[in-house]
Amino acid sequence: MKIVEQIKQPIVREMELFEGKFHESMSSKVALLNRITYYIVNRKGKQMRPMFVFLTAKMISGGTVNERTYRGAAVIELIHTATLVHDDVVDDSNRRRGFFSINALWKNKIAVLVGDYLLSKGLLLSIDHGDFDLLKIISVAVREMSEGELLQIEKARRLDITEAIYYEIIRQKTATLIAACCALGACSVAPDDVHTEKMRRFGELIGMAFQIKDDLFDYTDDAIGKPTGIDIKEQKMTLPLIYALNNCTKAEKKWVINSVKNHNKDKKRVKEVIAFVKQTGGLTYAEEKMAEFREEALLILNEYPSSPYKDALVLMVNYVIERKK
């Protein structure tokens, strides 16, 4: 059995029900919108975020979920989808998970409006049912994701990212949404700040490990969704590169920064930078940091009694680190 199927095992029923509720939450009176949302729903990914919501809720409650849990999962998926649609516009990207992106098929103007529509649908789903505690978790996540993106853009211009700033960027950009999933799951079944905060931190740690894993893909030839060296071409400062820059001579640093800034389209030069980062121990260092985040996440899970949901979350943590794409 594939690992993702194994993780889904204890929440198969919930995920099936969620499909229908999620589809329903997107519906509109505008035919064009329905056509686009139908396209989105039929090209969904692994749906890791709703899985986090349901597994966390069931681990905390001892195996039950409620309507708030389903709404929390639908809201987070709506918000996540909205950010992906907007990201493709920002990055001028024509593909998403091997399919054409919304902006490629319907142009930027429509893609931006669809993203806005999904965002508002997500927020209204919470407001209409008085889930203000869930709404707060989601709103904080949306704010942080925007701040993280802008911080990265600001820093990328100067290529002066320290390790601390890098962690802040990935915490906001990537980890905050997974943190929100786990906090939502906990809050939906047990409005207890202790559980919610613990699970928020758990999700944040997983998100940090997830992003570092993504950064490492840039230096490997594994068959993944993005070609090797793409982060360098886009002048993104990732952990392996930051470590290499902090652990080399002045001349080497000057050469690397010049390569990333002025020669990032030169395939040979990009390959040389990748080789240099590997030589300097950048990959090993990033792998060690990723493992530290994983260990801290597992320590939080250890505080909860044994259950199929906890086992699935442990599997999820390991999957994040060991995945091949």
Side-chain angles (χ1 to χ4, degrees):
M1 193 191 292
K2 277 186 176 169
I3 187 154
V4 177
E5 295 308 312
Q6 260 177 286
I7 295 166
K8 259 190 193 167
Q9 205 62 34
I11 50 164
V12 167
R13 177 93 184 97
E14 286 80 6
M15 289 301 286
E16 279 172 6
L17 274 172
F18 166 73
E19 288 279 316
K21 289 175 188 282
F22 178 55
H23 205 162
E24 215 175 280
S25 68
M26 277 184 164
S27 67
S28 153
K29 292 187 176 76
V30 179
L32 173 63
L33 253 173
N34 283 333
R35 207 155 60 239
I36 295 171
T37 53
Y38 180 78
Y39 179 81
I40 291 170
V41 167
N42 286 332
R43 278 148 193 79
K44 61 182 183 296
K46 295 187 191 77
Q47 293 190 305
M48 303 294 272
R49 285 152 196 86
M51 283 160 68
F52 271 120
V53 176
F54 291 121
L55 287 171
T56 306
K58 289 186 94 169
M59 180 180 78
I60 300 250
S61 67
T64 58
V65 297
N66 55 36
E67 282 304 315
R68 271 163 56 84
T69 317
Y70 284 104
R71 287 197 294 272
V75 170
I76 210 80
E77 197 67 346
L78 282 165
I79 304 283
H80 173 59
T81 309
T83 60
L84 295 184
V85 172
H86 281 166
D87 277 354
D88 288 338
V89 176
V90 171
D91 298 338
D92 206 9
S93 172
N94 290 325
R95 313 285 290 182
R96 166 72 58 185
R97 299 190 187 113
F99 295 98
F100 283 117
S101 58
I102 303 299
N103 49 301
L105 291 171
W106 284 281
K107 302 288 176 273
N108 284 352
K109 190 174 181 177
I110 287 177
V112 169
L113 293 169
V114 168
D116 291 346
Y117 171 77
L118 295 172
L119 190 64
S120 67
K121 280 293 245 188
L123 301 178
L124 282 168
L125 188 58
S126 297
I127 291 167
D128 290 347
H129 294 88
D131 299 325
F132 297 109
D133 48 354
L134 304 186
L135 183 61
K136 187 176 180 186
I137 292 168
I138 290 146
S139 302
V140 168
V142 173
R143 184 199 69 205
E144 296 228 301
M145 286 157 69
S146 311
E147 283 181 353
E149 284 287 355
L150 288 163
L151 179 61
Q152 184 173 42
I153 290 167
E154 180 196 335
K155 294 294 176 186
R157 287 180 181 151
R158 295 205 300 273
L159 294 185
D160 62 348
I161 294 183
T162 61
E163 198 171 323
I165 289 172
Y166 165 80
Y167 289 134
E168 186 52 19
I169 289 171
I170 69 165
R171 186 191 68 74
Q172 290 186 313
K173 259 188 66 176
T174 305
T176 196
L177 195 64
I178 298 175
C181 295
C182 299
L184 280 174
C187 191
S188 72
V189 290
D192 164 348
D193 291 347
V194 177
H195 283 307
T196 303
E197 180 47 37
K198 258 188 204 168
M199 286 297 102
R200 188 203 65 76
R201 179 66 183 148
F202 166 75
E204 188 172 87
L205 291 161
I206 301 298
M208 301 289 276
F210 183 93
Q211 187 56 55
I212 295 173
K213 179 68 175 182
D214 248 24
D215 291 352
L216 285 162
F217 283 140
D218 206 45
Y219 295 88
T220 57
D221 295 317
D222 288 346
I224 58 151
K226 63 177 192 178
T228 311
I230 197 101
D231 287 338
I232 293 168
K233 290 187 187 93
E234 291 176 1
Q235 299 189 24
K236 278 185 190 157
M237 295 292 277
T238 58
L239 189 56
L241 185 59
I242 291 164
Y243 178 84
L245 286 171
N246 290 337
N247 292 276
C248 64
T249 65
K250 261 191 174 167
E252 286 170 331
K253 188 172 183 172
K254 200 176 165 187
W255 172 80
V256 172
I257 287 179
N258 181 34
S259 303
V260 174
K261 261 192 170 164
N262 305 314
H263 302 280
N264 52 46
K265 303 283 185 280
D266 177 340
K267 280 184 182 169
K268 185 172 172 285
R269 192 75 168 254
V270 169
K271 270 190 174 159
E272 285 168 1
V273 172
I274 289 172
F276 174 77
V277 170
K278 284 180 181 172
Q279 258 168 274
T280 320
L283 268 61
T284 309
Y285 181 76
E287 278 163 5
E288 283 166 6
K289 282 290 166 193
M290 181 173 71
E292 280 173 29
F293 284 120
R294 169 170 71 175
E295 291 317 305
E296 210 184 316
L298 291 174
L299 279 176
I300 294 173
L301 285 185
N302 284 346
E303 296 175 32
Y304 289 90
S306 212
S307 71
Y309 322 110
K310 176 181 168 179
D311 294 345
L313 282 169
V314 170
L315 264 181
M316 186 83 107
V317 173
N318 293 323
Y319 169 71
V320 160
I321 302 249
E322 287 152 18
R323 67 199 163 100
K324 295 283 182 278
K325 60 180 178 176

